[in-house]
Amino acid sequence: MTGVTAGDGPAAPTPGPARRRGRPPRTESAGTRDRILDAAREEFSARGYDKTSVRGIAKTAGVDPALVHHYFGTKERVFEAAVEVAFGPVLDEREAVLEGPLDEVGERMTRMIIGLWESPVTRAPLLAIVRSAVNNDTAAAVFRGLVASHLLRRIAGQLDRPDAELRAELAAAQLVGIAMIRYVIRVEPLASADPEDIVRRVAPVVQGHLTGD
């Protein structure tokens, strides 16, 4: 009888790529963190805050859950970091909103917010944030804190009015309400209205909240 050599028989299956465990090398840290944030935005957008887990984010990112905890700690902190990244364009443009004549700040603010929602690049992460904030108190608190600290207080500081913070919040509420109806709930005819027409109609109202009597 002929013996069976070590090379006979079916070949062993090639193992697939394993999720990386432990801390990555320093040179990979930035890329790993960005990959986790991309996965977090995807998970929060698809599942909402309540149904998203650290384990699910790790699976989508292709990393061990320990790495998510290493970079961010809790799910709340992951969400906050994801919001900060998605809110980046607002932070980049806020100085432009604050520059220029005060009697035109309503139009600049309205145009900035509508422009961010109109862009496909920024609309998807904004939708994920708003949907999570609407359905979960923790997510709402994170979103509210970032909006207040990064945008509303800066605008209020330019108004030089005793009720400046209330004015800034009313202006923001006007724009958030429009964004909810147009982009999230998609109620017609607002959902299909021309963006320039929206700016033309809404900017004077926002201006009134900020500087009106």
Side-chain angles (χ1 to χ4, degrees):
M1 182 186 332
T2 305
V4 179
T5 65
D8 292 335
T14 302
R19 288 184 296 172
R20 183 182 295 278
R21 294 181 176 273
R23 299 184 181 184
R26 183 172 299 178
T27 54
E28 295 182 17
S29 295
T32 302
R33 187 179 190 278
D34 289 344
R35 193 162 73 250
I36 292 171
L37 280 178
D38 288 341
R41 288 195 297 273
E42 181 180 335
E43 288 290 298
F44 285 125
S45 179
R47 303 175 185 277
Y49 186 89
D50 286 332
K51 295 183 179 179
T52 296
S53 66
V54 168
R55 186 175 295 278
I57 292 170
K59 182 177 180 180
T60 299
V63 301
D64 191 88
L67 271 181
V68 181
H69 289 295
H70 166 66
Y71 284 112
F72 302 101
T74 64
K75 182 174 76 169
E76 179 180 346
R77 297 295 297 171
V78 180
F79 181 76
E80 183 175 355
V83 170
E84 286 180 335
V85 172
F87 214 61
V90 176
L91 305 184
D92 293 341
E93 295 187 30
R94 67 182 175 184
E95 298 303 328
V97 171
L98 297 173
E99 293 173 354
L102 191 59
D103 60 359
E104 296 175 2
V105 67
E107 179 177 351
R108 295 194 299 272
M109 185 175 177
T110 302
R111 192 171 294 281
M112 177 192 71
I113 298 300
I114 296 299
L116 290 172
W117 279 100
E118 284 296 308
S119 169
V121 175
T122 49
R123 185 189 307 149
L126 284 172
L127 281 171
I129 293 166
V130 170
R131 285 170 177 159
S132 292
V134 167
N135 294 317
N136 182 272
D137 290 341
T138 300
V142 170
F143 182 48
R144 186 166 56 244
L146 287 171
V147 170
S149 62
H150 290 308
L151 184 62
L152 297 185
R153 290 172 189 162
R154 296 293 302 278
I155 293 174
Q158 301 292 313
L159 300 181
D160 193 24
R161 301 286 183 95
D163 57 350
E165 289 192 9
L166 175 60
R167 287 173 175 271
E169 288 177 4
L170 287 171
Q174 185 84 40
L175 294 171
V176 169
I178 289 169
M180 286 289 296
I181 295 174
R182 176 174 170 84
Y183 302 101
V184 181
I185 306 175
R186 298 194 57 79
V187 176
E188 297 291 354
L190 182 58
S192 300
D194 184 272
E196 285 298 319
D197 190 32
I198 295 174
V199 172
R200 179 177 61 83
R201 291 172 178 268
V202 174
V205 181
V206 174
Q207 185 71 44
H209 285 311
L210 294 172
T211 61
D213 295 331

